[in-house]
Structures are given as structure tokens and as C-alpha cells.
Amino acid sequence: MSSPLLEVKGLTKHFPVKAGTFKRARGIIKAVDGVSFSIDEGETLGLVGESGCGKTTTGRMVLRLLERTAGEMYFTLGDQQIDLSTIHGEPLRQFRKHIQLIFQDPYSSLNPRMTLRDIIAEPLRAHGAKARDEVEDRVRWLVHAVGLNVEFLNRYPHAFSGGQRQRIGIARALALNPRLIVCDEPVSALDVSVQAQIINLLKHLQREFGIAYLFIAHDLSVVENISRRIGVMYAGRIVEFAETTELFSHPLHPYTEALMSALPQIDRRARGKRIILPGEVADPSDLPTGCAFHPRCPKAQACCSSEVPQLRLISEGHFSACLFS
């Protein structure tokens, strides 16, 4: 059996809380706490959860924009398996062409002083492309691939709409022929109709070039449309993991059930079944004992406040971190 493109084991990120004149550590923020998953070639893995659950931090550690506190990450290139946790310097810089990023905000992620041509050409030049004609041809091809007009090449970011700016960001991410793209909420800042266009574009590019995506979002309906498997995160941990169709038809964790109930429903009878969670998302600097979700869980029992549930296999390919799944 071939190795997955990306394999993550026990990925953890703790931030120290410092206070006082000498900025001494007073505690830790457990932003990500023991996350494990894998992504196959050409697959889309969705990570969903409320703001602050650690999904973006997870993506940034995969990109090595944040250094991990603990855990292992392995990336497969041909017959070679690269330990992402240990490479540094020039080997890391050379490796970055294989994993790229699409940002959440399609405006602030673009340099307002650079034209469309220069924005897309920048990663090519940064990785050694010097022939002017070669760069120009590649830029024009990328602009066409994401559905933009080559006549726009001399325009600046302010001249484009939000959807067009995100297409520019996608073209820039594609410039170096990456194997994996981390999509950090790439459609959350866009209108619904434009969201559908961008999702369809990402799916088309995946079919065309075999790219894998780590798709980070808080909107389950968006993730359902593009992902083969989904991991649901809460308070820095994955609490449920399954194939998309299985997750939506048989959610096992109470948190997943609550997220599902918040999705817009056409059937009026279904609207009355919405689960309203009390309280706020768990504070990562002061997590509850036992299951971090138990203060908000409608199914919580006494043991939930003392025992930490582990992610365990419930049925084929379906994992849940609930004591009563």
C-alpha cells in the first residue's frame, strides 16, 4: 500500500502565556493538542470547527509557518519520505514549492503595489526562473487557467472584485506546481454565488492536475461540497473524523450534531430540531477537566468531567472522541 501524500501524527502547538515585568511564563495556550490525520494524492481533507478551535494553526504548522511544539509530519515525494519536522534552511526553502497556501482574505494577501503579472510571477522568480519569456508564458497560462483575462495583467489588486482577487491568489498558489495546497477559509469573505464559483474552480483544478487540498473552513455546507473526508475540531483536538457522506448521514459526536443542526434547512419541520449550545467555546488557556466539550454538551454525564475521551474507531473509517458514541 502506497504512503499518503501527507501524514500528521500527534501534532501539537502550545503558546506560553507571559506576564509581569520579566515576561515569565504563567501558563500555556493549548491551540492544537495531538492532532493526527493523513491526506492522499489528489484528495481533499476538510477541517471544520468554530473560530479558535485550532484549525488554522494546524494548517500553518503543516506549511512550517509555525513551528510545532510536538508531533511528526511526513510528506511523500516519489519514493522519498521527507520529515517536515526536521528540515531547515535551504532544503526547507526548496521544499516550499510542493506545499502552497490560499489565504482567507483575497485583498490583504495581495501586494497593492504589484500588478497581476508581478504577483503571479513572484514565486517563479523566487525559485529561480530567470528567462523573461518563460515567466511571461507561465503567468499568462496561469491567468487563463483560473478564469481571468490576460488583458488584466497590468492592473493592480484594487481594480478587481473579491472573487477575481481570490482567483489571483489561486493562480499564485499554482505557479510552482504544488502537490498540496492549504486552503485557509478561501471563500468565507466572498458572496455566496462567488463562493460556488471558487469551489467549482478548485474542484476543476484538482481534477486537471491531481492537487490535494487541506480545506479549512467553519461552514460545513461548503466543506461537504468539496471534501472526501472531514475532521471536526473542538478546542485544539479532532473530535470526529469520517468520510463526508458518512459524517453527514450519521454524526456521532454531540458537537458535530450541533454543527449539523445549524445548517440552513428548507424543511420547516427540520428547523425546529436545531441544537443551541450553552456557554462559549472552551478557553484554550484554561480547558475544562475531562472532555473539553462537556460544559456545553447536552448529553454530558458525571464521568465526562474527569475522563478525557480518545479518538477511537466506531465503524469503518468513522472515528469519534465521545465516551458515549
Side-chain angles (χ1 to χ4, degrees), residues 18-283:
K18 297 182 179 180
T21 305
F22 299 103
K23 300 296 181 182
R24 291 173 178 162
R26 302 293 185 182
I28 57 171
I29 296 174
K30 296 181 179 180
V32 177
D33 198 18
V35 165
S36 300
F37 59 84
S38 64
I39 303 176
D40 293 329
E41 291 271 6
E43 180 193 17
T44 299
L45 174 69
L47 275 185
V48 299
E50 295 171 280
S51 296
C53 70
K55 54 189 187 295
T56 293
T57 302
T58 299
R60 290 183 177 273
M61 283 192 285
V62 169
L63 289 157
R64 287 290 304 272
L65 298 177
L66 279 177
E67 294 299 329
R68 79 203 194 292
T69 301
E72 301 172 345
M73 298 182 291
Y74 298 99
F75 194 90
T76 302
L77 280 176
D79 297 331
Q80 182 183 12
Q81 191 174 60
I82 299 172
D83 186 350
L84 289 185
S85 311
T86 58
I87 60 172
H88 295 280
E90 183 61 20
L92 176 59
R93 193 187 77 84
Q94 290 296 327
F95 175 79
R96 290 196 186 280
K97 67 180 71 173
H98 301 295
I99 303 182
Q100 291 292 301
L101 170 65
I102 299 173
F103 293 89
Q104 177 178 356
D105 188 341
Y107 187 73
S108 63
S109 64
L110 303 178
N111 189 331
R113 298 185 178 185
M114 295 176 70
T115 64
L116 169 57
R117 173 184 281 106
D118 291 334
I119 288 171
I120 299 177
E122 186 178 29
L124 296 170
R125 295 188 178 116
H127 282 268
K130 296 180 180 179
R132 185 172 180 177
D133 291 344
E134 178 186 345
V135 172
E136 180 70 12
D137 289 346
R138 179 66 175 168
V139 168
R140 285 176 173 270
W141 183 88
L142 288 165
V143 167
H144 182 265
V146 298
L148 293 175
N149 196 320
V150 292
E151 295 177 1
F152 299 163
L153 283 172
N154 292 319
R155 293 186 181 182
Y156 291 87
H158 72 268
F160 296 97
S161 67
Q164 288 174 323
R165 291 171 192 153
Q166 197 59 292
R167 289 173 187 269
I168 297 170
I170 294 170
R172 179 176 58 186
L174 284 174
L176 297 170
N177 292 318
R179 303 277 297 283
L180 171 68
I181 296 179
V182 177
C183 306
D184 185 10
E185 304 211 32
V187 298
S188 62
L190 305 176
D191 294 336
V192 175
S193 60
V194 181
Q195 287 184 9
Q197 295 173 19
I198 297 300
I199 292 296
N200 288 335
L201 173 62
L202 290 172
K203 291 165 73 174
H204 168 74
L205 293 171
Q206 185 173 56
R207 290 192 299 268
E208 189 80 11
F209 306 113
I211 308 165
Y213 297 131
L214 174 59
F215 197 94
I216 297 166
H218 62 267
D219 189 335
L220 270 171
S221 59
V222 170
V223 177
E224 179 188 17
N225 191 262
I226 194 172
S227 303
R228 185 173 75 85
R229 294 181 298 154
I230 296 176
V232 181
M233 289 191 69
Y234 185 82
R237 307 186 76 182
I238 292 179
V239 296
E240 189 163 0
F241 194 95
E243 298 275 346
T244 300
T245 52
E246 170 67 14
L247 186 76
F248 275 79
S249 58
H250 299 102
L252 296 177
H253 197 281
Y255 178 61
T256 309
E257 293 177 348
L259 292 180
M260 296 287 189
S261 75
L263 293 174
Q265 299 289 342
I266 297 176
D267 187 348
R268 291 186 178 182
R269 292 169 296 179
R271 295 177 191 174
K273 299 176 182 178
R274 182 170 180 180
I275 301 170
I276 306 297
L277 296 176
E280 301 292 334
V281 180
D283 182 354

